[in-house]
Amino acid sequence: MQLEFYQVDAFSDRPFSGNPAMVYRLDTWLGDDLMQTIAAEHNLSETAFVVREGQGWHIRWFTPTAEVPLCGHATLASAHVLFDIYKEPAERLEFISKSGPLSVSREGGRLWLDFPAIEPAELGVTVEVERALNVQAVDVLGSNKLMVVLDSEQAVLDCQPDMLALARLPWQGAIVTAKGVKHDFVSRYFAPAIGINEDPVTGSTHCNLIPYWSKRLGKSSLTAYQCSKRGGELFCRLDGDRVKIGGNATLVASGTLMLG
């Protein structure tokens, strides 16, 4: 069996920045173990598999070590492949996922994710969290992910977590964030517990970040920058119980996987 794959840099308008994701458009599902093995072979933060179901698409995402319930950048990458490689005619793609219905639309030259808003709850600053991240926290919140607010963009840039200690905390990963200098807010995301020490640009964390910063800054449209080494810019809107996350995507590689 031979399978075509496409590598896309999401949240970037040029190669070698943003967040790389591998995308497979399948006719039928592969076994879970095989999809996990393929993701481990590519060794990117996410490999996405999509299968057409009815008028939409079923999407699943795998890190090198685990399947995850939601991934933004690999959904953006998948939409880019379906629009640009497979010439899907619609301006909006509907996806079925473990996190419910999702969609990606083309608007004004960008792709826009439509994801659930996840408002984090106050947890309070603890020594355990500060030591794991090696930071002085202004505030600590949590939902499916830990979110730690710092006092400046520079503090986010300077963050150097203890990955072993961070992996022992009871969250999928940890966001550090602060008010930005050129953008409304900045962030970084660390998830060593699922095989990703630092994710370059993470759409799903903005499900938490957008409600928080929208309330704090008193605005529903925001610009964001994930200041990892590769970096990526995101355009954000809060729309009731949904968030809209806009960005660009760039195809950087394609090939064929040989299976037996």
Side-chain angles (χ1 to χ4, degrees), residues 30 65 73 143:
L30 305 172
T65 62
H73 85 276
S143 56

Side-chain angles (χ1 to χ4, degrees), residues 4-38:
E4 293 181 347
F5 62 79
Y6 300 90
Q7 184 171 329
V8 175
D9 286 346
F11 297 112
S12 176
D13 60 0
R14 62 189 187 280
F16 316 129
S17 63
N19 200 352
M22 199 65 72
V23 178
Y24 284 84
R25 178 192 179 277
L26 305 174
D27 293 325
T28 59
W29 289 112
L30 305 172
D32 290 4
D33 289 346
L34 179 54
M35 288 190 287
Q36 185 62 73
T37 299
I38 291 170

Side-chain angles (χ1 to χ4, degrees), residues 80-172:
H80 181 73
V81 168
L82 293 173
F83 280 134
D84 284 34
I85 304 299
Y86 292 100
K87 305 302 180 184
E88 281 294 307
E91 291 300 304
R92 179 183 176 97
L93 298 175
E94 303 291 340
F95 291 97
I96 302 161
S97 79
K98 289 193 172 185
S99 293
L102 311 170
S103 69
V104 184
S105 58
R106 290 190 284 195
E107 301 174 29
R110 293 194 183 103
L111 296 176
W112 286 86
L113 302 169
D114 184 333
F115 274 21
I118 303 172
E119 190 154 358
E122 290 283 345
L123 297 177
V125 178
T126 66
V127 172
E128 182 182 30
V129 167
E130 289 190 319
R131 284 179 177 171
L133 286 164
N134 288 317
V135 296
Q136 186 170 356
V138 173
D139 200 2
V140 176
L141 307 97
S143 56
N144 58 331
K145 297 175 174 67
L146 185 69
M147 193 171 100
V148 180
V149 182
L150 306 182
D151 66 358
S152 68
E153 180 172 318
Q154 191 60 49
V156 173
L157 289 166
D158 292 342
C159 181
Q160 295 183 339
D162 178 337
M163 295 299 176
L164 291 177
L166 196 57
R168 289 194 292 267
L169 296 180
W171 286 276
Q172 184 188 83

Side-chain angles (χ1 to χ4, degrees), residues 202-229:
T202 318
S204 63
T205 58
H206 289 74
C207 295
N208 307 80
L209 288 160
I210 294 169
Y212 174 84
W213 285 108
S214 178
K215 182 182 290 186
R216 181 163 166 183
L217 299 177
K219 55 197 300 190
S220 58
S221 294
L222 308 103
T223 59
Y225 188 74
Q226 192 156 331
C227 45
S228 65
K229 184 176 180 180

